mmCIF file of all heavy atoms in Angstrom:
data_model
loop_
_atom_site.group_PDB
_atom_site.id
_atom_site.type_symbol
_atom_site.label_atom_id
_atom_site.label_comp_id
_atom_site.label_asym_id
_atom_site.label_seq_id
_atom_site.Cartn_x
_atom_site.Cartn_y
_atom_site.Cartn_z
ATOM 1 N N GLY V 1 0.804 -1.212 0.000
ATOM 2 C CA GLY V 1 0.000 0.000 0.000
ATOM 3 C C GLY V 1 0.837 1.262 0.000
ATOM 4 O O GLY V 1 0.453 2.271 0.579
ATOM 5 N N GLY V 2 2.014 1.190 -0.618
ATOM 6 C CA GLY V 2 2.897 2.340 -0.688
ATOM 7 C C GLY V 2 3.732 2.573 0.560
ATOM 8 O O GLY V 2 4.490 3.527 0.626
ATOM 9 N N LEU V 3 3.611 1.696 1.549
ATOM 10 C CA LEU V 3 4.368 1.832 2.795
ATOM 11 C C LEU V 3 5.351 0.683 2.947
ATOM 12 O O LEU V 3 5.050 -0.456 2.562
ATOM 13 C CB LEU V 3 3.417 1.853 3.994
ATOM 14 C CG LEU V 3 2.399 2.990 4.010
ATOM 15 C CD1 LEU V 3 1.404 2.792 5.135
ATOM 16 C CD2 LEU V 3 3.094 4.334 4.133
ATOM 17 N N PRO V 4 6.524 0.950 3.524
ATOM 18 C CA PRO V 4 7.497 -0.133 3.710
ATOM 19 C C PRO V 4 7.055 -1.107 4.805
ATOM 20 O O PRO V 4 6.530 -0.695 5.842
ATOM 21 C CB PRO V 4 8.774 0.605 4.116
ATOM 22 C CG PRO V 4 8.306 1.907 4.678
ATOM 23 C CD PRO V 4 7.022 2.235 3.986
ATOM 24 N N VAL V 5 7.256 -2.380 4.529
ATOM 25 C CA VAL V 5 6.888 -3.444 5.455
ATOM 26 C C VAL V 5 8.054 -4.424 5.539
ATOM 27 O O VAL V 5 8.616 -4.811 4.516
ATOM 28 C CB VAL V 5 5.623 -4.189 4.965
ATOM 29 C CG1 VAL V 5 5.275 -5.342 5.874
ATOM 30 C CG2 VAL V 5 4.446 -3.237 4.835
ATOM 31 N N ALA V 6 8.407 -4.808 6.766
ATOM 32 C CA ALA V 6 9.425 -5.836 6.966
ATOM 33 C C ALA V 6 8.728 -7.196 6.971
ATOM 34 O O ALA V 6 7.717 -7.377 7.647
ATOM 35 C CB ALA V 6 10.158 -5.614 8.281
ATOM 36 N N LEU V 7 9.259 -8.147 6.202
ATOM 37 C CA LEU V 7 8.730 -9.506 6.175
ATOM 38 C C LEU V 7 9.747 -10.431 6.820
ATOM 39 O O LEU V 7 10.916 -10.442 6.417
ATOM 40 C CB LEU V 7 8.467 -9.965 4.746
ATOM 41 C CG LEU V 7 7.111 -9.621 4.171
ATOM 42 C CD1 LEU V 7 7.019 -8.160 3.843
ATOM 43 C CD2 LEU V 7 6.844 -10.462 2.955
ATOM 44 N N ILE V 8 9.302 -11.167 7.804
ATOM 45 C CA ILE V 8 10.135 -12.176 8.454
ATOM 46 C C ILE V 8 9.474 -13.509 8.139
ATOM 47 O O ILE V 8 8.304 -13.717 8.474
ATOM 48 C CB ILE V 8 10.205 -11.972 9.982
ATOM 49 C CG1 ILE V 8 10.747 -10.586 10.313
ATOM 50 C CG2 ILE V 8 11.067 -13.057 10.624
ATOM 51 C CD1 ILE V 8 9.721 -9.667 10.860
ATOM 52 N N GLU V 9 10.205 -14.385 7.464
ATOM 53 C CA GLU V 9 9.637 -15.667 7.066
ATOM 54 C C GLU V 9 10.445 -16.799 7.680
ATOM 55 O O GLU V 9 11.678 -16.812 7.592
ATOM 56 C CB GLU V 9 9.640 -15.776 5.546
ATOM 57 C CG GLU V 9 8.946 -17.007 5.024
ATOM 58 C CD GLU V 9 8.849 -16.983 3.515
ATOM 59 O OE1 GLU V 9 9.867 -17.284 2.856
ATOM 60 O OE2 GLU V 9 7.769 -16.652 3.007
ATOM 61 N N VAL V 10 9.739 -17.736 8.300
ATOM 62 C CA VAL V 10 10.362 -18.935 8.855
ATOM 63 C C VAL V 10 9.820 -20.110 8.050
ATOM 64 O O VAL V 10 8.613 -20.350 8.017
ATOM 65 C CB VAL V 10 10.037 -19.095 10.362
ATOM 66 C CG1 VAL V 10 10.656 -20.378 10.894
ATOM 67 C CG2 VAL V 10 10.535 -17.886 11.149
ATOM 68 N N SER V 11 10.714 -20.829 7.378
ATOM 69 C CA SER V 11 10.317 -21.936 6.506
ATOM 70 C C SER V 11 10.974 -23.227 6.953
ATOM 71 O O SER V 11 12.114 -23.235 7.413
ATOM 72 C CB SER V 11 10.730 -21.651 5.058
ATOM 73 O OG SER V 11 10.149 -20.458 4.606
ATOM 74 N N ASP V 12 10.235 -24.324 6.775
ATOM 75 C CA ASP V 12 10.773 -25.642 7.111
ATOM 76 C C ASP V 12 10.262 -26.663 6.112
ATOM 77 O O ASP V 12 9.442 -26.355 5.257
ATOM 78 C CB ASP V 12 10.399 -26.034 8.547
ATOM 79 C CG ASP V 12 8.901 -26.220 8.725
ATOM 80 O OD1 ASP V 12 8.347 -27.202 8.192
ATOM 81 O OD2 ASP V 12 8.275 -25.382 9.409
ATOM 82 N N ARG V 13 10.757 -27.876 6.216
ATOM 83 C CA ARG V 13 10.341 -28.967 5.336
ATOM 84 C C ARG V 13 9.671 -30.072 6.144
ATOM 85 O O ARG V 13 9.868 -31.252 5.895
ATOM 86 C CB ARG V 13 11.540 -29.507 4.569
ATOM 87 C CG ARG V 13 12.103 -28.486 3.603
ATOM 88 C CD ARG V 13 13.119 -29.115 2.675
ATOM 89 N NE ARG V 13 13.529 -28.166 1.668
ATOM 90 C CZ ARG V 13 12.935 -28.042 0.477
ATOM 91 N NH1 ARG V 13 11.930 -28.791 0.149
ATOM 92 N NH2 ARG V 13 13.380 -27.157 -0.392
ATOM 93 N N GLY V 14 8.844 -29.652 7.100
ATOM 94 C CA GLY V 14 8.138 -30.604 7.956
ATOM 95 C C GLY V 14 6.910 -31.189 7.295
ATOM 96 O O GLY V 14 6.734 -31.121 6.074
ATOM 97 N N GLN V 15 6.031 -31.742 8.123
ATOM 98 C CA GLN V 15 4.837 -32.441 7.653
ATOM 99 C C GLN V 15 3.881 -31.558 6.875
ATOM 100 O O GLN V 15 3.176 -32.026 5.999
ATOM 101 C CB GLN V 15 4.059 -33.005 8.839
ATOM 102 C CG GLN V 15 4.779 -34.018 9.639
ATOM 103 C CD GLN V 15 3.938 -34.459 10.829
ATOM 104 O OE1 GLN V 15 2.747 -34.221 10.884
ATOM 105 N NE2 GLN V 15 4.579 -35.090 11.781
ATOM 106 N N GLY V 16 3.820 -30.318 7.198
ATOM 107 C CA GLY V 16 2.872 -29.420 6.547
ATOM 108 C C GLY V 16 1.551 -29.390 7.291
ATOM 109 O O GLY V 16 1.265 -30.229 8.132
ATOM 110 N N VAL V 17 0.771 -28.422 6.965
ATOM 111 C CA VAL V 17 -0.516 -28.203 7.613
ATOM 112 C C VAL V 17 -1.609 -28.546 6.617
ATOM 113 O O VAL V 17 -1.489 -28.245 5.428
ATOM 114 C CB VAL V 17 -0.635 -26.718 8.042
ATOM 115 C CG1 VAL V 17 -1.990 -26.428 8.637
ATOM 116 C CG2 VAL V 17 0.474 -26.363 9.003
ATOM 117 N N GLU V 18 -2.673 -29.189 7.096
ATOM 118 C CA GLU V 18 -3.787 -29.515 6.221
ATOM 119 C C GLU V 18 -4.395 -28.227 5.679
ATOM 120 O O GLU V 18 -4.543 -27.243 6.397
ATOM 121 C CB GLU V 18 -4.862 -30.310 6.972
ATOM 122 C CG GLU V 18 -4.376 -31.657 7.478
ATOM 123 C CD GLU V 18 -3.933 -31.587 8.931
ATOM 124 O OE1 GLU V 18 -3.659 -30.480 9.432
ATOM 125 O OE2 GLU V 18 -3.858 -32.637 9.563
ATOM 126 N N ALA V 19 -4.785 -28.234 4.410
ATOM 127 C CA ALA V 19 -5.304 -27.044 3.740
ATOM 128 C C ALA V 19 -6.518 -26.458 4.454
ATOM 129 O O ALA V 19 -6.691 -25.245 4.493
ATOM 130 C CB ALA V 19 -5.644 -27.370 2.289
ATOM 131 N N HIS V 20 -7.357 -27.302 5.050
ATOM 132 C CA HIS V 20 -8.565 -26.776 5.696
ATOM 133 C C HIS V 20 -8.251 -25.961 6.955
ATOM 134 O O HIS V 20 -9.106 -25.240 7.457
ATOM 135 C CB HIS V 20 -9.553 -27.907 6.011
ATOM 136 C CG HIS V 20 -9.133 -28.784 7.148
ATOM 137 N ND1 HIS V 20 -8.244 -29.827 6.992
ATOM 138 C CD2 HIS V 20 -9.467 -28.760 8.457
ATOM 139 C CE1 HIS V 20 -8.057 -30.412 8.153
ATOM 140 N NE2 HIS V 20 -8.781 -29.787 9.062
ATOM 141 N N LEU V 21 -7.025 -26.036 7.455
ATOM 142 C CA LEU V 21 -6.641 -25.245 8.627
ATOM 143 C C LEU V 21 -6.079 -23.876 8.248
ATOM 144 O O LEU V 21 -5.829 -23.051 9.126
ATOM 145 C CB LEU V 21 -5.608 -26.008 9.457
ATOM 146 C CG LEU V 21 -6.087 -27.315 10.068
ATOM 147 C CD1 LEU V 21 -4.932 -28.023 10.768
ATOM 148 C CD2 LEU V 21 -7.234 -27.079 11.026
ATOM 149 N N LEU V 22 -5.877 -23.658 6.953
ATOM 150 C CA LEU V 22 -5.354 -22.381 6.479
ATOM 151 C C LEU V 22 -6.518 -21.516 6.009
ATOM 152 O O LEU V 22 -7.511 -22.042 5.527
ATOM 153 C CB LEU V 22 -4.366 -22.604 5.330
ATOM 154 C CG LEU V 22 -3.109 -23.389 5.691
ATOM 155 C CD1 LEU V 22 -2.310 -23.692 4.436
ATOM 156 C CD2 LEU V 22 -2.263 -22.648 6.688
ATOM 157 N N PRO V 23 -6.483 -20.246 6.120
ATOM 158 C CA PRO V 23 -5.347 -19.473 6.572
ATOM 159 C C PRO V 23 -5.321 -19.195 8.068
ATOM 160 O O PRO V 23 -4.295 -18.794 8.590
ATOM 161 C CB PRO V 23 -5.499 -18.160 5.805
ATOM 162 C CG PRO V 23 -6.971 -17.978 5.691
ATOM 163 C CD PRO V 23 -7.528 -19.381 5.547
ATOM 164 N N ASP V 24 -6.437 -19.382 8.790
ATOM 165 C CA ASP V 24 -6.482 -18.858 10.154
ATOM 166 C C ASP V 24 -6.550 -19.878 11.284
ATOM 167 O O ASP V 24 -6.128 -19.583 12.396
ATOM 168 C CB ASP V 24 -7.679 -17.907 10.301
ATOM 169 C CG ASP V 24 -7.534 -16.667 9.460
ATOM 170 O OD1 ASP V 24 -6.425 -16.119 9.427
ATOM 171 O OD2 ASP V 24 -8.514 -16.268 8.827
ATOM 172 N N GLN V 25 -7.084 -21.051 11.049
ATOM 173 C CA GLN V 25 -7.344 -21.966 12.155
ATOM 174 C C GLN V 25 -6.078 -22.364 12.916
ATOM 175 O O GLN V 25 -6.125 -22.545 14.121
ATOM 176 C CB GLN V 25 -8.075 -23.211 11.664
ATOM 177 C CG GLN V 25 -8.562 -24.079 12.816
ATOM 178 C CD GLN V 25 -9.410 -25.238 12.334
ATOM 179 O OE1 GLN V 25 -9.911 -25.245 11.211
ATOM 180 N NE2 GLN V 25 -9.568 -26.228 13.186
ATOM 181 N N ILE V 26 -4.939 -22.447 12.255
ATOM 182 C CA ILE V 26 -3.720 -22.835 12.966
ATOM 183 C C ILE V 26 -3.255 -21.767 13.943
ATOM 184 O O ILE V 26 -2.430 -22.038 14.806
ATOM 185 C CB ILE V 26 -2.565 -23.207 12.007
ATOM 186 C CG1 ILE V 26 -2.111 -21.998 11.203
ATOM 187 C CG2 ILE V 26 -2.950 -24.364 11.132
ATOM 188 C CD1 ILE V 26 -0.801 -22.212 10.504
ATOM 189 N N PHE V 27 -3.811 -20.551 13.833
ATOM 190 C CA PHE V 27 -3.447 -19.471 14.751
ATOM 191 C C PHE V 27 -4.402 -19.366 15.935
ATOM 192 O O PHE V 27 -4.273 -18.470 16.758
ATOM 193 C CB PHE V 27 -3.380 -18.134 14.008
ATOM 194 C CG PHE V 27 -2.309 -18.108 12.951
ATOM 195 C CD1 PHE V 27 -2.628 -18.199 11.618
ATOM 196 C CD2 PHE V 27 -0.963 -18.026 13.308
ATOM 197 C CE1 PHE V 27 -1.638 -18.189 10.640
ATOM 198 C CE2 PHE V 27 0.032 -18.026 12.345
ATOM 199 C CZ PHE V 27 -0.316 -18.105 11.013
ATOM 200 N N GLU V 28 -5.345 -20.302 16.032
ATOM 201 C CA GLU V 28 -6.275 -20.314 17.159
ATOM 202 C C GLU V 28 -5.618 -20.996 18.358
ATOM 203 O O GLU V 28 -4.825 -21.927 18.191
ATOM 204 C CB GLU V 28 -7.561 -21.053 16.785
ATOM 205 C CG GLU V 28 -8.377 -20.340 15.731
ATOM 206 C CD GLU V 28 -8.846 -18.974 16.190
ATOM 207 O OE1 GLU V 28 -9.259 -18.835 17.359
ATOM 208 O OE2 GLU V 28 -8.801 -18.032 15.367
ATOM 209 N N PRO V 29 -5.942 -20.544 19.577
ATOM 210 C CA PRO V 29 -5.379 -21.193 20.771
ATOM 211 C C PRO V 29 -5.695 -22.688 20.795
ATOM 212 O O PRO V 29 -6.778 -23.110 20.400
ATOM 213 C CB PRO V 29 -6.071 -20.480 21.927
ATOM 214 C CG PRO V 29 -6.481 -19.158 21.368
ATOM 215 C CD PRO V 29 -6.798 -19.409 19.912
ATOM 216 N N PHE V 30 -4.741 -23.464 21.223
ATOM 217 C CA PHE V 30 -4.834 -24.920 21.399
ATOM 218 C C PHE V 30 -4.910 -25.700 20.099
ATOM 219 O O PHE V 30 -5.211 -26.877 20.095
ATOM 220 C CB PHE V 30 -6.009 -25.297 22.316
ATOM 221 C CG PHE V 30 -6.006 -24.539 23.609
ATOM 222 C CD1 PHE V 30 -7.004 -23.626 23.891
ATOM 223 C CD2 PHE V 30 -4.985 -24.716 24.529
ATOM 224 C CE1 PHE V 30 -6.997 -22.906 25.074
ATOM 225 C CE2 PHE V 30 -4.964 -23.996 25.710
ATOM 226 C CZ PHE V 30 -5.975 -23.093 25.987
ATOM 227 N N SER V 31 -4.618 -25.055 18.973
ATOM 228 C CA SER V 31 -4.603 -25.753 17.695
ATOM 229 C C SER V 31 -3.284 -26.505 17.561
ATOM 230 O O SER V 31 -2.213 -25.933 17.709
ATOM 231 C CB SER V 31 -4.749 -24.744 16.550
ATOM 232 O OG SER V 31 -4.633 -25.397 15.313
ATOM 233 N N ARG V 32 -3.374 -27.791 17.284
ATOM 234 C CA ARG V 32 -2.173 -28.609 17.066
ATOM 235 C C ARG V 32 -2.392 -29.466 15.841
ATOM 236 O O ARG V 32 -2.819 -30.603 15.936
ATOM 237 C CB ARG V 32 -1.901 -29.497 18.283
ATOM 238 C CG ARG V 32 -1.564 -28.659 19.479
ATOM 239 C CD ARG V 32 -0.461 -29.085 20.338
ATOM 240 N NE ARG V 32 0.593 -29.839 19.742
ATOM 241 C CZ ARG V 32 1.357 -30.640 20.430
ATOM 242 N NH1 ARG V 32 1.172 -30.813 21.700
ATOM 243 N NH2 ARG V 32 2.323 -31.285 19.861
ATOM 244 N N PRO V 33 -2.124 -28.937 14.663
ATOM 245 C CA PRO V 33 -2.329 -29.701 13.440
ATOM 246 C C PRO V 33 -1.599 -31.040 13.476
ATOM 247 O O PRO V 33 -0.463 -31.123 13.914
ATOM 248 C CB PRO V 33 -1.746 -28.793 12.345
ATOM 249 C CG PRO V 33 -1.759 -27.427 12.940
ATOM 250 C CD PRO V 33 -1.586 -27.622 14.418
ATOM 251 N N ARG V 34 -2.292 -32.061 13.031
ATOM 252 C CA ARG V 34 -1.757 -33.431 12.925
ATOM 253 C C ARG V 34 -1.450 -34.077 14.281
ATOM 254 O O ARG V 34 -0.936 -35.166 14.343
ATOM 255 C CB ARG V 34 -0.499 -33.489 12.053
ATOM 256 C CG ARG V 34 -0.728 -33.086 10.619
ATOM 257 C CD ARG V 34 0.489 -33.469 9.789
ATOM 258 N NE ARG V 34 0.462 -32.879 8.496
ATOM 259 C CZ ARG V 34 -0.152 -33.409 7.433
ATOM 260 N NH1 ARG V 34 -0.794 -34.533 7.536
ATOM 261 N NH2 ARG V 34 -0.113 -32.793 6.276
ATOM 262 N N LEU V 35 -1.733 -33.397 15.375
ATOM 263 C CA LEU V 35 -1.424 -33.968 16.677
ATOM 264 C C LEU V 35 -2.657 -34.113 17.556
ATOM 265 O O LEU V 35 -2.551 -34.337 18.750
ATOM 266 C CB LEU V 35 -0.368 -33.108 17.400
ATOM 267 C CG LEU V 35 0.980 -33.056 16.704
ATOM 268 C CD1 LEU V 35 1.921 -32.127 17.451
ATOM 269 C CD2 LEU V 35 1.597 -34.434 16.585
ATOM 270 N N GLY V 36 -3.826 -33.958 16.980
ATOM 271 C CA GLY V 36 -5.046 -34.153 17.741
ATOM 272 C C GLY V 36 -5.429 -32.935 18.558
ATOM 273 O O GLY V 36 -4.841 -31.876 18.456
ATOM 274 N N ASN V 37 -6.411 -33.113 19.403
ATOM 275 C CA ASN V 37 -6.950 -32.015 20.187
ATOM 276 C C ASN V 37 -6.411 -32.092 21.610
ATOM 277 O O ASN V 37 -7.095 -32.511 22.534
ATOM 278 C CB ASN V 37 -8.481 -32.086 20.169
ATOM 279 C CG ASN V 37 -9.109 -30.875 20.800
ATOM 280 O OD1 ASN V 37 -8.456 -29.856 20.975
ATOM 281 N ND2 ASN V 37 -10.371 -30.987 21.140
ATOM 282 N N GLN V 38 -5.168 -31.700 21.787
ATOM 283 C CA GLN V 38 -4.528 -31.732 23.097
ATOM 284 C C GLN V 38 -4.666 -30.358 23.728
ATOM 285 O O GLN V 38 -4.024 -29.410 23.314
ATOM 286 C CB GLN V 38 -3.064 -32.136 22.973
ATOM 287 C CG GLN V 38 -2.899 -33.506 22.366
ATOM 288 C CD GLN V 38 -1.444 -33.864 22.184
ATOM 289 O OE1 GLN V 38 -0.559 -33.212 22.713
ATOM 290 N NE2 GLN V 38 -1.190 -34.911 21.434
ATOM 291 N N GLN V 39 -5.510 -30.225 24.714
ATOM 292 C CA GLN V 39 -5.858 -28.924 25.263
ATOM 293 C C GLN V 39 -4.746 -28.267 26.072
ATOM 294 O O GLN V 39 -4.811 -27.080 26.342
ATOM 295 C CB GLN V 39 -7.122 -29.048 26.126
ATOM 296 C CG GLN V 39 -8.335 -29.465 25.328
ATOM 297 C CD GLN V 39 -8.694 -28.463 24.255
ATOM 298 O OE1 GLN V 39 -8.761 -27.272 24.509
ATOM 299 N NE2 GLN V 39 -8.902 -28.928 23.035
ATOM 300 N N GLU V 40 -3.728 -28.988 26.505
ATOM 301 C CA GLU V 40 -2.698 -28.375 27.333
ATOM 302 C C GLU V 40 -1.596 -27.681 26.532
ATOM 303 O O GLU V 40 -0.734 -27.048 27.105
ATOM 304 C CB GLU V 40 -2.075 -29.406 28.283
ATOM 305 C CG GLU V 40 -1.188 -30.442 27.615
ATOM 306 C CD GLU V 40 -1.921 -31.604 26.985
ATOM 307 O OE1 GLU V 40 -3.165 -31.616 26.956
ATOM 308 O OE2 GLU V 40 -1.235 -32.508 26.509
ATOM 309 N N THR V 41 -1.631 -27.774 25.205
ATOM 310 C CA THR V 41 -0.588 -27.173 24.371
ATOM 311 C C THR V 41 -1.203 -26.530 23.140
ATOM 312 O O THR V 41 -2.411 -26.528 22.963
ATOM 313 C CB THR V 41 0.434 -28.238 23.927
ATOM 314 O OG1 THR V 41 -0.276 -29.243 23.214
ATOM 315 C CG2 THR V 41 1.157 -28.857 25.103
ATOM 316 N N GLY V 42 -0.352 -25.985 22.275
ATOM 317 C CA GLY V 42 -0.830 -25.422 21.022
ATOM 318 C C GLY V 42 -1.039 -23.924 21.074
ATOM 319 O O GLY V 42 -1.868 -23.391 20.348
ATOM 320 N N MET V 43 -0.280 -23.228 21.902
ATOM 321 C CA MET V 43 -0.444 -21.779 22.032
ATOM 322 C C MET V 43 0.579 -20.984 21.238
ATOM 323 O O MET V 43 0.428 -19.774 21.081
ATOM 324 C CB MET V 43 -0.368 -21.374 23.508
ATOM 325 C CG MET V 43 -1.543 -21.848 24.338
ATOM 326 S SD MET V 43 -3.113 -21.155 23.780
ATOM 327 C CE MET V 43 -2.853 -19.427 24.133
ATOM 328 N N GLY V 44 1.625 -21.617 20.715
ATOM 329 C CA GLY V 44 2.722 -20.889 20.074
ATOM 330 C C GLY V 44 2.301 -19.965 18.954
ATOM 331 O O GLY V 44 2.662 -18.785 18.936
ATOM 332 N N LEU V 45 1.528 -20.458 17.989
ATOM 333 C CA LEU V 45 1.128 -19.621 16.864
ATOM 334 C C LEU V 45 0.071 -18.598 17.267
ATOM 335 O O LEU V 45 0.025 -17.502 16.718
ATOM 336 C CB LEU V 45 0.638 -20.476 15.693
ATOM 337 C CG LEU V 45 1.721 -21.297 14.997
ATOM 338 C CD1 LEU V 45 1.110 -22.148 13.883
ATOM 339 C CD2 LEU V 45 2.823 -20.403 14.450
ATOM 340 N N ALA V 46 -0.766 -18.931 18.237
ATOM 341 C CA ALA V 46 -1.753 -17.962 18.737
ATOM 342 C C ALA V 46 -1.039 -16.785 19.401
ATOM 343 O O ALA V 46 -1.405 -15.626 19.203
ATOM 344 C CB ALA V 46 -2.710 -18.640 19.718
#
């Protein structure tokens, strides 16, 4: 939009995220793609 923006990208060659979790669901609290619904973890991306 005509303004400078810094982009920080972290890339890996891991398992990947299921398409239905993109673009936003993986950023929800307690989301752990491919690891089930473990309520005690999954806060990093949130």
